[in-house]
């Protein structure tokens, strides 16, 4: 079976794009008709960006797990849905067929019900990359509970904040997780997060690492016991099944927390119908997925990429998706290539950071690895530099695999700007053309469309989108006003992405990076304000300012300027203490790469930190700092320049 909405030529792309803009309702209505609905929608699209109110397929009823699992059981129940590759290559792999996935998701749906979870309840999932994480996510979707997956690298404090924000009463976790040579004690982090918590009623714990854990009576239960019991409840004539709850298209599917330029991370909310159509449509078209192909997205399900392109996109397309527990450099830097060889992977989708880091190991790790199964390569999460692009093209794709550079965000649900593999042209380090339904617009600071080219013959501006696509976020959990001010208020009637971009005469886009105070570290988003707040929690710190600087592997590194007032220890010890504080408050992913102690920060007379100056110094630019005469104390700049680390 092919996908009737798979675009097959450049002409088809242009025709689809035109139709999607001229008549979005007809366009998306036809595509949505390829899914299983219990009741057809009343209206394809209703929207305004003022409130914002965005409704896709309103009145339609469905369950996303029926679309991801049940509809494939009859024709391809024995096809692998998920192939799980363990952290340790010596350990047995697990192949989860669509039949098996159905059984496990049904069992876990019953487990959730047995533990008091109801439709609409929020379930926080803090697990390593094991198949049970997929069962937990899809089990929630089956009963209509809202999952909120938290990446395993976040600290207890971060989890506590998220639990509180989402009013979550249920947690699914593991005793521990394997990542490379490390064991991460997930359950113990959860225990710390729950100190003082009064709302969480139940913690379901899956055994992965056999790390000792404290199981609290009345609160904590074992996954294995619960699953066994559930199976006996729902088995009938040898078949294990649990009816999928009927959901409205606009019911929330999940919350995923992500960083912005201010305050604490916000809970991006995606709803069922639009997200399903969008992840499926972009998966099928960007990667040009063909039945029987093996798709390997190397992301973690704790991030949006894993949600959309390990689980929902591929599964809703009946694909085979690889789920990898480990890291690219364990046990050695040939791990990705081993996996590709072992499973005859056809599509590899990874982050520029991973490519740059593997490039650093040279070509030895590629020796003896058969990568001939590869057909398509993809990148996501951050701009890819040309050097990495060419290395990927030459040494991994052997110059025969199109590379798709997919630009998108947690808020967009799936890819918005990317070439379609082999269908629309690629251009190294350019995301290229918008997906059907996506209308980008470059504006200047005042919100006016950029119509003049710069000195390189390109249009340059802040990237906005004019109209909704099915996968756009609907709100930020518990605070709709925050959603409005964050995304829809900077420029009236536009969705503002927070990214800067260039456009050429052919309509191709190149993303240049964030224009707000959000950093992109190894393809992960971290707000400067968030890191500053964490640093400022340290007892000796008076004030801090955090900026990004170019980092060879991570894309961006974190540079912190810190005013320190304590007397304890020397600079080295203070640095370590600050790093530990950040690890406790956010997680190791937010640790500054560089900390410079300063006696003051460059501030304007109104007290605003001039980050532009700090950014330039962190980047190594000490000459052209621009006008510093408006600073309260211009002398501080000299000191900062001299003390650069
Ligand atoms: O700055 C852009 C960058 O990542 C940001 C979104 O981060 P997050 O919500 O964590 O989602 C990452 C995975 C989709 C964007 O605002 N970004 C993402 N993809 C690209 C990119 N920058 C350049 N090129 C890309 N392909």
């Amino acid at each position: 079976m092919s996908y009737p909405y798979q675009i097959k030529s450049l002409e088809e792309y242009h025709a689809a794009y035109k139709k999607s803009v001229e008549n979005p309702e007809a366009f998306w209505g036809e595509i949505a008709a390829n899914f299983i609905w219990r009741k057809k929608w009343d209206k394809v699209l209703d929207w305004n960006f003022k409130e914002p109110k965005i409704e896709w397929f309103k009145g339609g009823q469905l369950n996303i797990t029926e679309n991801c699992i049940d509809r494939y059981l009859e024709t391809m129940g024995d096809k692998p849905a998920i192939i799980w590759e363990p952290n340790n290559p010596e350990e047995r792999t697990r192949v989860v067929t669509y039949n098996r996935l159905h059984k496990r998701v049904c069992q876990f749906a019953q487990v959730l019900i047995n533990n008091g979870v109801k439709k609409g309840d929020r379930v926080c999932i803090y697990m390593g990359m094991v198949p049970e994480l997929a069962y937990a996510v899809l089990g929630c979707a089956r009963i209509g509970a809202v999952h909120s997956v938290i990446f395993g690298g976040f600290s207890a404090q971060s989890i506590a904040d998220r639990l509180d924000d989402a009013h979550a009463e249920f947690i699914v976790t593991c005793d521990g997780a394997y990542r490379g040579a490390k064991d991460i004690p997930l359950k113990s982090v959860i225990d710390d997060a729950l100190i003082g918590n009064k709302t969480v009623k139940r913690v379901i714990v899956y055994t992965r690492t056999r790390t000792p854990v404290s199981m609290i009576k009345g609160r904590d239960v074992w996954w294995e016991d619960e699953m066994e019991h559930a199976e006996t409840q729902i088995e009938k004539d040898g078949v294990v099944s649990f009816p999928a709850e009927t959901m409205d298209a606009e019911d929330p599917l999940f919350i995923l927390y992500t960083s912005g330029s201010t305050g604490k991370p916000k809970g991006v909310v995606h709803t069922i119908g639009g997200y399903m159509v969008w992840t499926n449509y972009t998966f099928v078209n960007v990667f040009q997925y063909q039945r029987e192909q093996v798709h390997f997205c190397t992301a973690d399900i704790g991030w949006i990429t894993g949600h959309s392109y390990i689980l929902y996109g591929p599964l809703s397309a009946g694909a085979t998706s690889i789920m990898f527990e480990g890291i690219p450099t364990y046990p050695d830097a040939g791990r990705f290539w081993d996996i590709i060889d072992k499973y005859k992977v056809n599509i590899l989708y990874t982050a520029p950071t991973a490519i740059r880091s593997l490039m650093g190991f040279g070509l030895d790790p590629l020796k003896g690895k058969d990568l001939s199964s590869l057909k398509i390569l993809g990148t996501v999460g951050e701009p890819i530099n040309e050097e990495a692009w060419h290395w990927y093209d030459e040494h991994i794709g052997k110059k025969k695999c199109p590379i798709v550079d997919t630009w998108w965000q947690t808020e967009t649900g799936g890819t918005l700007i990317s070439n379609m593999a082999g269908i629309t042209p690629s251009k190294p380090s350019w995301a290229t053309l918008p997906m059907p339904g996506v209308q980008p617009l470059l504006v200047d600071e005042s919100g006016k469309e950029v119509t003049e080219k710069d000195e390189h013959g390109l249009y340059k501006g802040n990237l906005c989108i004019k109209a909704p696509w099915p996968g756009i976020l609907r709100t930020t959990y518990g605070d709709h006003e925050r959603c409005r001010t964050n995304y829809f208020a900077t420029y009236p009637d536009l969705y503002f992405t927070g990214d800067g971009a260039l456009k050429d005469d052919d309509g191709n886009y190149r993303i240049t990076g964030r224009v707000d105070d959000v950093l992109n570290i190894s393809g992960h988003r971290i707000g400067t304000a968030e890191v500053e707040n964490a640093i400022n929690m340290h007892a000796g710190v008076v004030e801090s300012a955090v900026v990004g600087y170019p980092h060879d592997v991570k894309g961006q590194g974190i540079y912190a300027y810190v005013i320190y007032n304590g007397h304890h220890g020397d600079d080295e010890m203070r640095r370590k203490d600050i790093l530990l504080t950040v690890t406790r408050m956010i997680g190791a992913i937010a640790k500054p790469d560089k900390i410079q102690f300063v006696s003051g920060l460059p501030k304007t007379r109104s007290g605003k930190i001039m980050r532009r100056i700090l950014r330039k110094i962190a980047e190594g630019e000490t000459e052209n700092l621009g006008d510093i005469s408006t600073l309260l104390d211009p002398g501080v700049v000299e000191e900062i320049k001299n003390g650069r680390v």
Side-chain angles (χ1 to χ4, degrees):
M1 191 181 96
S2 67
Y3 307 94
Y5 46 89
Q6 192 168 50
I7 289 168
K8 286 285 159 220
S9 66
L10 189 57
E11 295 70 44
E12 275 185 39
Y13 162 76
H14 285 302
Y17 189 82
K18 187 161 180 282
K19 181 169 178 188
S20 75
V21 171
E22 286 172 358
N23 196 345
E25 294 207 43
F27 183 82
W28 292 110
E30 272 168 37
I31 288 162
N34 291 283
F35 296 79
I36 311 285
W37 297 84
R38 293 193 178 166
K39 175 178 168 285
K40 199 180 164 191
W41 52 89
D42 303 322
K43 184 152 175 52
V44 173
L45 173 62
D46 193 8
W47 69 286
N48 72 67
F49 275 172
K50 280 204 173 50
E51 297 174 53
K53 173 176 124 171
I54 302 153
E55 291 174 343
W56 282 94
F57 312 113
K58 184 76 179 165
Q61 293 183 333
L62 76 166
N63 187 290
I64 197 167
T65 67
E66 261 178 4
N67 282 280
C68 287
I69 310 173
D70 303 50
R71 68 161 154 167
Y72 295 119
L73 294 179
E74 202 170 310
T75 51
M76 42 189 228
D78 290 330
K79 175 178 174 174
I82 295 172
I83 297 178
W84 178 73
E85 168 73 9
N87 180 59
N88 176 355
E90 312 276 294
E91 198 184 331
R92 191 175 56 88
T93 63
R94 288 163 65 186
V95 176
V96 183
T97 61
Y98 275 88
N99 278 331
R100 174 54 60 107
L101 183 62
H102 177 257
K103 178 174 173 181
R104 292 288 180 247
V105 169
C106 285
Q107 265 174 281
F108 195 69
Q110 180 66 48
V111 167
L112 290 169
I113 298 290
N114 289 348
N115 282 281
V117 183
K118 297 184 301 299
K119 178 174 176 173
D121 285 348
R122 276 80 49 221
V123 177
C124 159
I125 302 176
Y126 186 67
M127 300 174 86
M129 286 282 283
V130 285
E132 285 68 20
L133 165 56
Y135 309 156
V137 164
L138 296 166
C140 287
R142 192 132 183 119
I143 69 162
V146 179
H147 56 78
S148 180
V149 184
I150 301 179
F151 175 62
F154 281 114
S155 69
Q157 182 61 51
S158 290
I159 298 167
D161 293 344
R162 286 159 171 76
L163 287 171
D164 187 41
D165 188 81
H167 303 289
E169 294 174 332
F170 307 94
I171 297 178
V172 189
T173 189
C174 299
D175 51 353
Y178 294 124
R179 269 179 77 77
K182 288 192 203 139
D183 284 6
I184 304 162
L186 297 180
K187 172 62 165 62
S188 141
V189 179
I190 289 289
D191 288 338
D192 287 346
L194 289 181
I195 294 171
N197 176 296
K198 297 213 168 26
T199 45
V200 170
K201 295 181 190 153
R202 189 69 84 231
V203 182
I204 302 172
V205 186
Y206 172 71
T207 313
R208 172 65 186 126
T209 56
R210 304 199 171 272
T211 312
V213 292
S214 73
M215 294 292 282
I216 304 298
K217 196 181 289 166
R219 189 194 73 185
D220 301 351
V221 294
W222 292 111
W223 170 289
E224 294 77 5
D225 296 346
E226 295 295 309
M227 286 292 266
E228 215 177 286
H229 175 56
E231 186 170 0
T232 60
Q233 286 174 282
I234 59 175
E235 196 208 289
K236 222 174 132 204
D237 305 327
V239 179
V240 172
S241 192
F242 185 92
E245 181 71 32
T246 301
M247 304 298 292
D248 286 334
E250 280 298 339
D251 279 338
L253 175 63
F254 65 86
I255 305 172
L256 189 58
Y257 283 85
T258 189
S259 297
S261 46
T262 52
K264 292 211 186 274
K266 44 192 181 276
V268 167
V269 176
H270 283 287
T271 57
I272 300 167
Y275 177 80
M276 173 184 75
V277 170
W278 189 247
T279 51
N280 178 289
Y281 182 81
T282 50
F283 173 72
V284 163
N285 280 299
V286 169
F287 299 109
Q288 288 290 304
Y289 183 78
Q290 308 294 316
R291 297 272 179 197
E292 310 312 327
Q293 283 190 336
V294 177
H295 172 76
F296 179 21
C297 166
T298 70
D300 191 291
I301 293 175
W303 308 103
I304 191 69
T305 308
H307 281 61
S308 301
Y309 298 116
I310 296 178
L311 295 182
Y312 288 112
L315 297 178
S316 67
T320 296
S321 183
I322 291 190
M323 183 173 178
F324 174 39
E325 185 183 36
I327 58 169
T329 49
Y330 182 84
D332 59 50
R335 191 66 194 278
F336 278 179
W337 324 131
D338 285 329
I339 295 175
I340 292 165
D341 193 344
K342 181 169 173 186
Y343 300 108
K344 305 294 164 229
V345 168
N346 306 111
I347 305 169
L348 172 67
Y349 189 36
T350 194
T353 291
I355 299 168
R356 285 189 296 263
S357 129
L358 295 175
M359 257 170 83
F361 290 88
L363 298 178
D364 270 1
L366 282 157
K367 281 207 183 109
K369 314 286 161 77
D370 180 4
L371 305 185
S372 62
S373 56
L374 283 175
K375 293 259 180 301
I376 283 147
L377 304 177
T379 70
V380 59
E382 46 181 325
I384 180 161
N385 49 315
E386 292 203 27
E387 194 193 352
W389 194 99
H390 286 294
W391 189 86
Y392 201 30
D393 182 38
E394 192 174 328
H395 298 293
I396 309 307
K398 318 284 185 204
K399 294 206 170 220
K400 65 175 181 52
C401 303
I403 299 178
V404 292
D405 178 349
T406 64
W407 171 81
W408 57 294
Q409 313 178 296
T410 305
E411 295 84 347
T412 71
T415 299
L416 292 201
I417 303 182
S418 171
N419 48 319
M420 292 182 181
I423 302 293
T424 65
S426 66
K427 189 170 174 182
S429 82
W430 287 66
T432 74
L433 297 172
M435 290 291 113
V438 176
Q439 301 180 53
L441 186 74
L442 295 182
V443 301
D444 63 17
E445 289 299 322
S446 69
K448 272 218 321 283
E449 180 170 2
V450 176
T451 49
E452 304 272 309
K453 292 185 196 170
D454 68 2
E455 67 274 23
H456 307 292
L458 299 169
Y459 302 94
K460 182 178 183 191
N462 291 344
L463 179 60
C464 296
I465 316 285
K466 276 196 264 188
W469 59 97
I472 189 174
L473 87 162
R474 302 302 196 265
T475 189
T476 45
Y477 190 79
D479 192 350
H480 194 61
E481 177 58 13
R482 192 166 177 206
C483 174
R484 192 186 69 80
T485 51
N486 258 289
Y487 306 106
F488 301 94
T490 316
Y491 306 113
D493 293 322
L494 294 173
Y495 167 80
F496 177 42
T497 65
D499 279 321
L502 301 168
K503 185 173 110 168
D504 69 11
D505 277 330
D506 300 324
N508 290 306
Y509 288 86
R510 176 185 197 157
I511 311 301
T512 49
R514 303 288 304 195
V515 293
D516 53 8
D517 289 322
V518 172
L519 306 177
N520 191 326
I521 314 297
S522 306
H524 299 146
R525 253 160 84 171
I526 296 169
T528 51
E530 226 183 312
V531 183
E532 286 164 9
N533 290 343
I535 294 174
N536 296 348
M537 289 300 288
H538 184 68
V541 171
V542 178
E543 197 180 0
S544 63
V546 164
V547 296
Y549 71 97
H551 189 286
D552 285 349
V553 174
K554 301 202 271 186
Q556 265 191 315
I558 304 180
Y559 196 115
Y561 298 91
V562 176
I563 305 176
Y564 197 92
N565 191 20
H567 300 288
H568 192 70
D570 56 15
D571 277 4
E572 216 21 63
M573 194 164 165
R574 290 170 189 173
R575 275 199 185 91
K576 286 186 182 150
D577 289 351
I578 290 173
L579 293 182
L580 193 61
T581 311
V582 174
T583 306
R584 283 257 188 276
M585 298 308 299
I586 307 176
I589 49 170
K591 278 198 304 200
D593 300 273
K594 294 185 177 180
I595 297 176
Q596 178 180 350
F597 293 107
V598 296
S599 67
L601 292 167
K603 288 189 179 169
T604 59
R605 291 195 180 87
S606 60
K608 197 168 163 267
I609 297 174
M610 299 238 337
R611 287 169 188 281
R612 176 176 54 81
I613 295 175
L614 293 176
R615 231 175 270 133
K616 285 214 160 150
I617 297 176
E619 283 165 10
E621 165 81 66
T622 47
E623 292 310 312
N624 304 311
L625 295 179
D627 183 14
I628 58 169
S629 64
T630 55
L631 291 179
L632 191 60
D633 173 14
V636 78
V637 173
E638 207 49 36
E639 179 214 309
I640 295 178
K641 271 182 1 193
N642 294 334
R644 238 184 116 245
V645 288

